[in-house]
Amino acid sequence: MSQNPWQFSESDREAVYRAIRERRDMRHFSGEPLDPEVLRRLLQAAHQAPSVGLMQPWRFIRITDADLRDRIRGLVEQERQATADALSEREAEFLRLKVEGMDKCAEVLVVALMDQREKHIFGRRTLPEMDLASVSCAIQNLWLAARAEGVGVGWVSLFDPEALGDLLQMPQGSKAIAVLCIGPVDRFYARPMLEQEGWAEAQPLEALLAENCWPQQDS
């Protein structure tokens, strides 16, 4: 087989795969500050994500006001309780989980879908949710860059998007999809936290991979 001139070096490839393999959804932070230059690099990595029709539908809101952070945390707590109620027999088990790290993380970012998305038709005529997929790619870019920097990231999705939008004076048609907790950590989880806590088990790739038709075990 001929040499691929576009391939990264072996050490560079391993670094990319290591970041993917060791990325964790963090809830525990050290309380130390985050270097502003590191934050800038993470945001730039997010901004370099692919997007449908190059619409770049992501918007980032950095939360630096302590009172505002507390109010956002209050919205998360409201949804935590509502989620617990909806889980019925797993309510107590769920309430033992730590679902956010806003108490000690260095930075809080709210990530949102832009407004006026309906005018972007390229790649969205039959799949309008591709704007959400694009923002998710941006968040994953930030997440992997953060792991390479030794910085923790936690994606919090327990909140009412309308209530958070009102709190942040977001325009009609926009939608918050993530509260990101970012900052130094004392250690990264050896396995995903929900596995460590016994909430769920990750499935192997083989169980989710099929050829030419839907995986039979899901039928």
Side-chain angles (χ1 to χ4, degrees):
M1 183 179 295
S2 61
Q3 181 70 28
N4 182 350
W6 311 114
Q7 189 176 49
F8 289 2
S9 69
E10 183 175 355
S11 61
D12 286 347
R13 295 198 307 274
E14 172 52 29
V16 171
Y17 287 118
R18 180 185 174 191
I20 294 169
R21 188 171 60 246
E22 297 185 9
R23 179 206 57 79
R24 294 290 181 266
D25 193 359
M26 299 301 296
R27 297 292 183 261
H28 300 84
F29 296 86
S30 69
E32 297 174 353
L34 182 65
D35 185 333
E37 284 303 311
V38 173
L39 178 61
R40 176 69 182 178
R41 290 199 294 270
L42 300 185
L43 286 167
Q44 188 61 46
H47 188 56
Q48 290 172 326
S51 64
V52 62
L54 200 59
M55 69 181 288
Q56 298 180 304
W58 44 77
R59 298 294 183 268
F60 304 101
I61 304 173
R62 184 186 179 200
I63 307 301
T64 58
D65 182 275
D67 179 65
L68 184 56
R69 181 192 283 217
D70 286 343
R71 294 172 71 183
I72 294 172
R73 197 176 183 202
L75 293 179
V76 172
E77 177 58 24
Q78 289 177 23
E79 180 55 30
R80 187 178 81 97
Q81 292 295 332
T83 298
D85 292 342
L87 285 168
S88 58
E89 70 274 5
R90 298 195 78 182
E91 176 181 1
E93 185 183 359
F94 171 77
L95 287 173
R96 287 194 293 270
L97 298 174
K98 186 172 175 58
V99 298
E100 51 86 10
M102 280 186 277
D103 53 342
K104 296 186 73 175
C105 68
E107 297 282 344
V108 172
L109 288 179
V110 174
V111 187
L113 283 162
M114 62 183 277
D115 60 329
Q116 302 182 43
R117 301 189 306 283
E118 61 280 355
K119 66 183 181 182
H120 293 272
I121 299 173
F122 188 169
R124 298 182 63 245
R125 193 184 69 81
T126 59
L127 290 171
E129 61 271 22
M130 287 302 296
D131 53 10
L132 177 58
S134 299
V135 177
S136 297
C137 287
I139 293 173
Q140 181 77 333
N141 270 17
L142 184 150
W143 221 334
L144 295 176
R147 184 61 190 88
E149 297 276 5
V151 172
V153 175
W155 183 339
V156 181
S157 59
L158 277 77
F159 57 85
D160 180 337
E162 290 189 10
L164 184 53
D166 290 343
L167 187 60
L168 300 179
Q169 304 174 52
M170 291 169 53
Q172 181 92 20
S174 62
K175 184 177 182 179
I177 67 161
V179 174
L180 299 183
C181 300
I182 305 172
V185 298
D186 292 323
R187 65 185 63 83
F188 285 90
Y189 311 135
R191 294 184 295 143
M193 192 192 78
L194 293 183
E195 282 192 350
Q196 291 187 167
E197 297 296 326
W199 178 263
E201 287 291 334
Q203 298 184 64
L205 170 62
E206 291 72 21
L208 308 175
L209 178 66
E211 289 189 29
N212 303 320
C213 65
W214 193 261
Q216 294 305 304
Q217 63 268 31
D218 286 350
S219 301

